[in-house]
Amino acid sequence: MSIEISETLTFECETGNYHTFCPISCVAWLYQKIEDSFFLVVGTKTCGYFLQNALGVMIFAEPRYAMAELEEGDISAQLNDYQELKRLCVQVKEARNPSVIIWIGTCTTEIVKMDLEGMAPKLETDIGIPIVVARANGLDYAFTQGEDTVLAAMAHRCPDQELLLGKEQKIEDKLIKNEFFISSKSDTSNKIPLVLFGSLPSTVASQLGSELKRQSINVSGWLPAQRYTDLPVLGNGVYVCGVNPFLSRTATTLMRRRKCKLIGAPFPIGPDGTRAWIEKICLVFGVRAQGLEEREQQVWGNLKNYIDLVRNKSVFFMGDNLLEISLARFLIRCGMIVYEIGIPYMDKRYQAAELEFLRTTCKKMRVPMPRIVEKPDNYSQIQRIRELQPDLAITGMAHANPLEARGISTKWSVEFTFAQIHGFVNAKDILELVTRPLRRNNSLENSNWTDLVRTK
Amino acid sequence: MKLAYWMYAGPAHIGTLRVASSFKNVHAIMHAPLGDDYFNVMRSMLGRERDFTPVTASIVDRHVLARGSQEKVVGNIVHRDKQERPDLIVLTPTCTSSILQEDLQNFVDRASAVSDSDVILADVNHYRVNELQAADRTLEQVVRHYLDKARRMENLNLSLTDKPSVNIIGIFTLGFHNQHDCRELKRLLQDLGIGINEVIPEGGFVEDLYQLPKAWFNLVPYRETGLMTAIYLEKEFGMPYISRTPMGVLDIANCIRQIQKHINTWAPCLLDEGVNYETYIDDQTRFVSQAAWFSRSIDCQNLTGKKAVVFGDATHAASITKILACEMGIRVSCAGTYCKHDEEWFKERVRNFCDEILVTDDHTEVGDVIARVEPSAIFGTQMERHIGKRLDIPCGVISSPVHIQNFPLGYRPFLGYEGTNQIADLVYNSFTLGMEDHLLEIFGGHDTKEVITKSLSTDMGLTWDYESQSELNKIPGFVRGRVKRNTEKFARQNGITRITAEVMYAAKEALNA
């Protein structure tokens, strides 16, 4: 079989009629990550309904988030926004006493032009709790980009290196405090601080931290940290590196507003991605990376059984969470054929290294470059899926059951957002997810009822 | 503004979408920002639908804010018309679009001029009605639209069917056990020799709606959805309707007698004689349904006087309250609903069957009542199930909002005679089994877990000595919390700080006195 291999990636853009989660869903994982926070979503019943259904059982566990539900009086400006928000925030303060309240602006606050950014500083001094404003609305963003807006807003709250200058000791304290493994100062080779950004479960964060530690690189802080009060020190000369592909606003804010230096690297998803990510950081810090190739090979070795299952199988990403490029790159390296990478939004600068890595991976594996479809149209995508009959469609929950009923195996894309997929250790989890429908197919091999829709 | 963590009824557009997507070949287009199409996920996941949900969004984004969405909405309607050829397209406003105050009716007019499908704008106000009210209204709107159209086309069919027949109004997608209820109702009506004229909206075609007036009467099993349509049909075509929910043996009999009455207004002239269902009711109640027998059996005797709290939508909460109180001898300490718009009716219905009535849509209020009453079992929604988990009180789910486990694959109607059996099982299994209960009391329980301090207990300043601790451990788990609280209450009232076994006994005595 001869495959014509094009040298460049092609980008397309469709209508944007696709299904994804509302970006306010980021409160689900961020409130758990930032332990002393409280998220107040300023929106309507529609937002509340989405959150309570999408987050399921979490709702019942007294979560540290709530809706500030707008009523008719708020919309028609019969009520004073400031007074109303103050009343609710005082209630929150009394009940939970958080270290920070994060206001999530929604479509409604955008349309009625509620000045959240203007009110926050005033209320902050009034009630004595920091208030961070993030506009994570469906007018502008999709799903995981919600986290991006929150982290970008939080970047402004990180302590400033300049202000701490002259209190050298204090910085040192801060640096040491934020390390994941207690170490003596002598074996830290980098004097330049490195801050990683992106919310990860603390175990995954410490796994990545220790991978870097093996290369004698210390992570001086994370945005976000486990607690709001532990936000990392930023400033001129601080190097920053993203761990997730959807953090372009945060990256921009860190560079432009906080004068940090961005390390553009592929993302640590899959053993190939993790190795490339570490190597890039090592390169920037002038450290010779050690033992990475062996480490990567060893991980691939452990994944052999999974890879046997996925090799030469085809996959179609409908696109809804911006992890698509990195996942596709990893799956191509695993021997899969990717037909299409749907993605809500493509920041070619922030993802430059990842895109280049995707291109070289395609060449290396001798597979055609997949088409990248920005703002996809789900209706046309389903027509294409029908034509192409991929072995696996990675898709949202709205389409999963209908596709399964038509004999197309699916994997819910949302699971990739909530599963642990970063670093060498978690590569197995990605393949565990990807192969689940394939393994299911194998175990149901003897049942021939795969097409379960009545033809009209 | 209101601080809210959870809500019982969803926003208005969900109701509209549920009705629209229940009809066959009807497409709904939401005027909404990205991410508001979560309804598709719910229908696909909870309802385990095999087909793509016929709902798409006409996305409201920054460009729309700047330029208006006319072009886009009209374009999307026309596209959908070409792609799917639906009979009807329902343009559905959301909370976002109602603030934008664009002239959606104008878009609809323009789109319907160029598309083959009918196009209507769902007429619901987001800030005034909830999911259930919106569903009720949308169903009426669609029915009215098609009957008006039929009248204009002069193909309205007003002659009654030869045999008695009925329209079942209000069975729809994501409804609590609606599919099973519908099957059970059809069986019941078939037994009575009544034909089904139409079931709407689930599985119905809008093009068939002109035939609605052929039925002899309408049946509205759930008052939340369908009443408006039934009232409209009564006003417009003089069709009588029955809104008594056939849940529980008493109300099934009630409902059947009403059916009999309506049939007998026409029967003498259209059939040769009237109908009499009394023997059918008697036979079904005594021998087909097990519920009447169950309430006489000694199992049910053990439930006598046990306390329960009921909460749910108006239909289910009222019916279950009546069943518990009148058919099983259980004491309903509190009956409540979140259907605030139907408060009058609900109060009227449950007044004589419970100690206390609660009408609220705040789940914390419900939780407080349950904690105060300490019932032996709760019958409520998923939220009450979780409250029950926290307080260690069993809960049977009897109403929306629900989770995926409330969309069982097996046959589980709540209505009709099979429904009475299902409800009896649900109630009985929710209470701790009678004999087990006795044995636990006699032998002091089989779990010797440490006393779990409940968050509701305020034991500040009180100490339990070793003896009273171990005495407390002997008390069966499910009443332990109550005994503990009662003892502490007694101790505080009497200025006792150290609780001994004697104090416990004294507390028990004081309580029994």
Side-chain angles (χ1 to χ4, degrees):
Chain A
M1 191 172 68
S2 77
I3 303 166
E4 199 184 318
I5 295 174
S6 107
E7 282 295 303
T8 49
L9 293 164
T10 53
F11 296 91
E12 288 168 50
C13 189
E14 287 188 326
T15 62
N17 282 331
Y18 63 100
H19 164 78
T20 182
F21 273 14
C22 174
I24 60 172
S25 52
C26 68
V27 306
W29 63 90
L30 288 177
Y31 94 82
Q32 295 192 27
K33 173 71 191 178
I34 309 167
E35 288 168 355
D36 51 352
S37 63
F38 190 96
F39 285 78
L40 189 67
V41 183
V42 189
T44 60
K45 255 187 182 326
T46 304
C47 314
Y49 195 66
F50 163 70
L51 276 182
Q52 94 178 33
N53 284 297
L55 309 188
V57 288
M58 279 192 231
I59 294 287
F60 301 108
E62 298 229 354
R64 290 188 316 280
Y65 66 80
M67 290 294 306
E69 194 183 304
L70 301 169
E71 291 164 303
E72 206 166 9
D74 299 300
I75 303 301
S76 53
Q78 284 163 358
L79 297 166
N80 180 313
D81 296 336
Y82 182 79
Q83 293 304 332
E84 291 294 301
L85 279 169
K86 184 174 176 183
R87 186 168 57 80
L88 300 193
C89 287
V90 167
Q91 252 175 285
V92 167
K93 186 185 175 181
E94 278 165 6
R96 306 294 177 86
N97 196 29
S99 311
V100 60
I101 296 177
I102 294 136
W103 287 350
I104 303 289
T106 61
C107 305
T108 313
T109 58
E110 288 296 311
I111 294 170
V112 302
K113 299 199 165 41
M114 193 180 281
D115 184 18
L116 295 176
E117 277 96 345
M119 287 186 279
K122 187 155 174 269
L123 190 54
E124 187 168 319
T125 37
D126 273 12
I127 66 168
I129 294 181
I131 293 174
V132 173
V133 180
R135 301 179 176 194
N137 61 70
L139 295 170
D140 302 303
Y141 307 109
F143 197 12
T144 48
Q145 288 180 292
E147 174 180 323
D148 193 21
T149 61
V150 173
L151 297 190
M154 223 165 242
H156 293 282
R157 301 304 182 108
C158 295
D160 201 319
Q161 204 182 30
E162 301 291 314
L163 295 177
L164 296 175
L165 221 64
K167 302 172 194 164
E168 196 84 352
Q169 193 52 45
K170 217 170 175 180
I171 299 178
E172 300 261 350
D173 284 352
K174 190 93 192 168
L175 293 181
I176 290 164
K177 200 172 141 202
N178 281 340
E179 276 167 20
F180 297 98
F181 293 90
I182 298 147
S183 59
S184 61
K185 251 190 281 175
S186 57
D187 65 18
T188 56
S189 71
N190 60 312
K191 289 292 176 206
I192 317 155
L194 169 67
V195 170
L196 300 180
F197 58 96
S199 165
L200 293 179
S202 61
T203 49
V204 182
S206 47
Q207 281 160 7
L208 286 181
S210 67
E211 293 293 351
L212 288 172
K213 179 125 224 150
R214 262 181 228 178
Q215 308 298 335
S216 314
I217 293 173
N218 272 304
V219 179
S220 53
W222 279 82
L223 175 67
Q226 204 70 22
R227 301 182 65 81
Y228 176 77
T229 46
D230 293 342
L231 282 179
V233 179
L234 296 178
N236 200 354
V238 173
Y239 278 84
V240 291
C241 188
V243 297
N244 268 323
F246 44 78
L247 298 171
S248 53
R249 280 176 68 88
T250 310
T252 313
T253 309
L254 291 171
M255 283 192 296
R256 297 208 181 132
R257 308 298 297 276
R258 305 306 309 265
K259 309 291 174 214
C260 301
K261 294 188 174 62
L262 179 71
I263 303 174
F267 301 99
I269 292 169
D272 49 341
T274 309
R275 178 182 164 192
W277 182 74
I278 297 172
E279 277 176 344
K280 185 65 193 285
I281 294 173
C282 287
L283 188 73
V284 170
F285 280 83
V287 175
R288 181 191 290 271
Q290 282 169 351
L292 277 181
E293 196 180 337
E294 295 78 8
R295 182 104 168 96
E296 190 194 345
Q297 286 316 318
Q298 180 207 339
V299 176
W300 286 120
N302 295 341
L303 297 177
K304 192 180 169 302
N305 288 342
Y306 292 103
I307 289 174
D308 288 345
L309 274 173
V310 299
R311 190 175 296 121
N312 293 326
K313 295 254 171 31
S314 54
V315 57
F316 189 109
F317 285 87
M318 284 186 78
D320 72 348
N321 60 13
L322 286 95
L323 294 171
E324 290 88 0
I325 302 285
S326 312
L327 287 173
R329 177 261 301 151
F330 168 60
L331 293 182
I332 289 169
R333 181 64 183 75
C334 290
M336 294 186 91
I337 299 140
V338 177
Y339 287 147
E340 174 166 331
I341 307 177
I343 187 167
Y345 169 73
M346 182 74 245
D347 185 332
K348 287 183 201 158
R349 278 188 304 172
Y350 177 62
Q351 293 222 43
E354 183 65 83
L355 285 169
E356 177 54 24
F357 197 24
L358 170 68
R359 207 177 63 80
T360 52
T361 304
C362 285
K363 275 180 81 173
K364 182 177 172 191
M365 301 302 292
R366 303 195 52 77
V367 293
M369 304 278 166
R371 48 191 273 170
I372 297 173
V373 181
E374 222 183 324
K375 290 169 155 257
D377 182 284
N378 280 168
Y379 187 87
S380 335
Q381 282 187 314
I382 286 165
Q383 309 305 318
R384 294 200 285 274
I385 287 178
R386 280 187 172 150
E387 273 166 39
L388 296 165
Q389 293 286 318
D391 295 306
L392 182 68
I394 296 182
T395 172
M397 292 198 268
H399 297 116
N401 268 339
L403 284 172
E404 289 281 356
R406 283 157 184 78
I408 304 281
S409 297
T410 60
K411 184 74 230 139
W412 306 335
S413 49
V414 179
E415 287 191 72
F416 293 100
T417 321
F418 294 117
Q420 309 194 339
I421 60 169
H422 293 77
F424 288 123
V425 190
N426 298 309
K428 182 168 160 275
D429 289 46
I430 308 175
L431 286 180
E432 182 77 26
L433 288 177
V434 170
T435 58
R436 193 170 297 153
L438 305 174
R439 285 179 282 131
R440 185 270 324 262
N441 290 349
N442 290 345
S443 48
L444 299 182
E445 208 167 13
N446 296 324
S447 118
N448 287 320
W449 294 282
T450 51
D451 188 344
L452 293 159
V453 193
R454 221 185 276 282
T455 42
K456 279 172 196 164
Chain B
M1 274 181 221
K2 194 169 86 179
L3 198 61
Y5 296 89
W6 204 79
M7 65 184 102
Y8 283 102
H13 70 270
I14 298 287
T16 297
L17 296 180
R18 282 175 63 188
V19 166
S21 61
S22 294
F23 279 112
K24 279 203 174 122
N25 213 25
V26 169
H27 200 101
I29 295 185
M30 300 166 69
H31 187 232
L34 195 65
D36 270 5
D37 59 352
Y38 191 72
F39 173 75
N40 296 29
V41 175
M42 293 182 60
R43 193 157 176 275
S44 165
M45 297 306 296
L46 299 181
R48 297 190 189 88
E49 288 288 338
R50 301 176 196 211
D51 281 317
F52 293 100
T53 300
V55 173
T56 39
S58 175
I59 305 282
V60 176
D61 58 15
R62 282 284 157 193
H63 298 290
V64 165
L65 289 193
R67 286 198 319 234
S69 51
Q70 167 154 333
E71 230 171 277
K72 204 168 183 180
V73 171
V74 174
N76 277 318
I77 293 175
V78 172
H79 266 134
R80 205 47 68 188
D81 174 53
K82 293 228 158 42
Q83 287 164 342
E84 312 241 302
R85 303 249 154 237
D87 297 326
L88 170 68
I89 294 177
V90 181
L91 180 60
T92 310
T94 58
C95 57
T96 310
S97 64
S98 50
I99 316 168
L100 286 173
Q101 298 193 324
E102 286 189 282
D103 189 359
L104 294 179
Q105 186 58 52
N106 175 32
F107 304 170
V108 162
D109 295 341
R110 291 194 25 170
S112 51
V114 286
S115 65
D116 295 332
S117 326
D118 292 324
V119 188
I120 61 172
L121 171 66
D123 171 31
V124 290
N125 180 329
H126 254 265
Y127 295 91
R128 305 224 169 131
V129 295
N130 67 20
E131 172 183 1
L132 300 170
Q133 293 162 292
D136 202 13
R137 193 176 285 261
T138 303
L139 184 58
E140 192 240 21
Q141 197 190 349
V142 172
V143 167
R144 186 189 286 267
H145 179 85
Y146 278 93
L147 289 177
D148 284 349
K149 186 180 174 189
R151 185 172 282 152
R152 280 199 309 279
M153 316 271 284
E154 291 174 355
N155 64 352
L156 205 54
N157 196 338
L158 288 173
S159 56
L160 292 187
T161 52
D162 299 340
K163 263 180 58 178
S165 66
V166 59
N167 298 318
I168 302 176
I169 300 176
I171 305 285
F172 68 151
T173 193
L174 295 177
F176 185 74
H177 293 242
N178 271 204
Q179 304 298 337
H180 312 283
D181 284 348
C182 182
R183 208 168 118 193
E184 185 62 22
L185 283 178
K186 282 180 179 169
R187 202 172 81 175
L188 177 72
L189 292 159
Q190 193 189 4
D191 283 355
L192 300 176
I194 298 168
I196 307 291
N197 186 48
E198 283 190 44
V199 178
I200 59 166
E202 184 67 49
F205 283 95
V206 284
E207 300 293 353
D208 293 340
L209 289 176
Y210 75 95
Q211 303 204 42
L212 279 177
K214 281 168 68 183
W216 290 31
F217 67 100
N218 292 317
L219 178 62
V220 182
Y222 317 106
R223 33 185 310 110
E224 285 74 22
T225 309
L227 261 190
M228 275 182 81
T229 309
I231 290 168
Y232 161 75
L233 291 170
E234 183 181 49
K235 223 188 227 164
E236 206 72 3
F237 303 99
M239 297 179 76
Y241 70 89
I242 297 163
S243 64
R244 175 57 49 91
T245 306
M247 198 188 308
V249 285
L250 294 175
D251 275 347
I252 297 173
N254 244 316
C255 180
I256 295 178
R257 289 194 184 108
Q258 286 186 33
I259 292 175
Q260 178 178 313
K261 197 186 98 201
H262 289 311
I263 288 180
N264 283 339
T265 50
W266 291 107
C269 56
L270 289 179
L271 312 170
D272 288 332
E273 48 177 348
V275 293
N276 186 336
Y277 295 136
E278 287 305 328
T279 40
Y280 175 77
I281 294 173
D282 183 66
D283 186 62
Q284 292 285 317
T285 308
R286 288 201 294 150
F287 304 112
V288 174
S289 162
Q290 304 292 320
W293 156 235
F294 171 72
S295 29
R296 293 280 154 188
S297 73
I298 45 169
D299 270 336
C300 196
Q301 215 175 77
N302 284 332
L303 299 184
T304 306
K306 289 219 176 202
K307 283 199 287 185
V309 168
V310 181
F311 196 84
D313 63 25
T315 300
H316 288 87
S319 296
I320 295 290
T321 301
K322 187 169 175 186
I323 292 170
L324 293 178
C326 305
E327 297 180 19
M328 295 183 176
I330 289 160
R331 176 158 173 203
V332 180
S333 302
C334 178
T337 182
Y338 56 85
C339 296
K340 285 161 89 174
H341 59 279
D342 216 6
E343 182 170 357
E344 292 294 304
W345 177 86
F346 183 76
K347 285 185 167 166
E348 179 60 38
R349 282 283 293 164
V350 301
R351 183 163 293 139
N352 300 320
F353 309 135
C354 62
D355 301 343
E356 188 183 341
I357 300 173
L358 177 69
V359 179
T360 179
D361 54 6
D362 179 353
H363 72 276
T364 54
E365 237 179 276
V366 183
D368 289 345
V369 169
I370 293 173
R372 170 165 56 77
V373 169
E374 299 195 53
S376 310
I378 311 167
F379 298 94
T381 70
Q382 278 296 332
M383 185 37 103
E384 283 68 49
R385 196 172 71 87
H386 283 270
I387 293 170
K389 261 189 187 166
R390 284 224 301 264
L391 296 170
D392 221 351
I393 301 171
C395 177
V397 176
I398 54 129
S399 158
S400 308
V402 286
H403 278 178
I404 193 150
Q405 67 260 42
N406 302 111
F407 291 91
L409 301 174
Y411 188 48
R412 299 272 171 73
F414 271 63
L415 303 186
Y417 287 109
E418 177 55 27
T420 62
N421 295 337
Q422 298 290 338
I423 293 170
D425 277 343
L426 180 76
V427 170
Y428 185 63
N429 293 339
S430 297
F431 285 101
T432 311
L433 302 178
M435 197 49 102
E436 192 185 352
D437 190 341
H438 277 301
L439 292 175
L440 283 170
E441 248 170 70
I442 293 166
F443 296 111
H446 46 52
D447 62 332
T448 49
K449 275 184 293 189
E450 288 293 291
V451 181
I452 302 151
T453 314
K454 297 230 173 83
S455 57
L456 292 162
S457 168
T458 49
D459 54 356
M460 282 170 309
L462 294 172
T463 50
W464 290 70
D465 72 357
Y466 177 76
E467 206 186 338
S468 62
Q469 272 286 1
S470 58
E471 196 63 24
L472 191 61
N473 284 345
K474 286 184 201 152
I475 292 164
F478 58 93
V479 286
R480 193 180 293 149
R482 194 185 320 157
V483 171
K484 184 161 188 261
R485 278 189 289 278
N486 284 338
T487 310
E488 286 170 353
K489 194 169 147 200
F490 173 83
R492 271 193 301 275
Q493 279 167 357
N494 292 284
I496 300 165
T497 51
R498 183 182 160 78
I499 294 171
T500 61
E502 276 74 20
V503 177
M504 274 181 84
Y505 303 143
K508 191 176 176 209
E509 211 177 306
L511 219 76
N512 287 343

